[in-house]
């Protein structure tokens, strides 16, 4: 499977909210990195730890709306742009982030998230 094919399938499973499906693309030793964040969620290593991170997000965030654009593929990496309308800690906000995923041997070995800081024209 090419990176482009994996990216398309992964994104479709994310849209369908098929956790078991998209998690099947994670390598056992996947690394997840969050920009501009400190604490235990800034760097998460391993499939089980990443499942716990997702569970924490679902327990602490009310998602009102979300959309995804992409995937944008280059070599062994692909990016997805996420826009979200969420409530966290009682505060509703709109957020944008780009997830950059690195693929090796048919599995996602790393995901990095970059956050938007306003619009530029």
């Amino acid at each position: 499977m090419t990176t482009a094919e994996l990216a398309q399938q992964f994104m479709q499973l994310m849209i369908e909210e098929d956790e078991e499906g998209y998690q099947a693309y994670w390598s056992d030793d996947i690394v997840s990195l969050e920009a501009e964040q400190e604490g235990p969620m800034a760097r998460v290593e391993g499939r089980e730890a990443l499942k716990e991170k997702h569970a924490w997000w679902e327990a602490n965030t009310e998602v009102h709306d979300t959309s995804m654009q992409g995937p944008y593929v280059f070599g062994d990496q692909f990016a997805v742009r996420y826009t979200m309308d969420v409530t966290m800690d009682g505060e509703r906000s709109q957020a944008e982030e780009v997830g950059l995923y690195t693929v090796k041997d048919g599995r996602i070995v790393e995901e990095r998230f970059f956050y938007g800081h306003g619009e530029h024209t």
Side-chain angles (χ1 to χ4, degrees):
M1 174 181 310
T2 68
T3 298
E5 292 167 336
L6 184 149
Q8 286 286 349
Q9 290 178 19
F10 178 79
M11 191 170 165
Q12 184 60 42
L13 293 164
M14 292 281 289
I15 290 167
E16 295 170 2
E17 298 180 8
D18 181 349
E19 287 185 27
E20 188 174 316
Y22 69 73
Q23 290 175 2
Y25 288 103
W26 295 347
S27 72
D28 288 340
D29 55 354
I30 188 170
V31 175
S32 178
L33 303 163
E34 296 281 346
E36 301 176 15
Q37 190 174 33
E38 296 179 12
M41 299 299 170
R43 181 182 178 95
V44 173
E45 297 183 33
R47 174 187 292 275
E48 292 308 311
L50 189 51
K51 285 182 180 181
E52 291 173 17
K53 176 182 172 183
H54 278 243
W56 177 89
W57 169 262
E58 290 175 12
N60 291 282
T61 308
E62 180 182 356
V63 178
H64 307 288
D65 190 31
T66 186
S67 66
M68 294 175 235
Q69 292 178 319
Y72 307 98
V73 180
F74 184 81
D76 66 348
Q77 295 182 309
F78 67 95
V80 177
R81 179 177 178 239
Y82 300 95
T83 48
M84 296 167 277
D85 178 8
V86 299
T87 299
M88 182 176 257
D89 299 325
E91 186 175 322
R92 189 166 180 170
S93 63
Q94 287 69 46
E96 289 186 20
E97 69 180 6
V98 172
L100 177 63
Y101 301 88
T102 302
V103 176
K104 183 177 179 184
D105 298 326
R107 296 283 181 259
I108 298 170
V109 295
E110 182 182 273
E111 59 178 22
R112 288 180 183 252
F113 294 99
F114 302 82
Y115 303 105
H117 292 285
E119 295 295 319
H120 300 278
T121 57

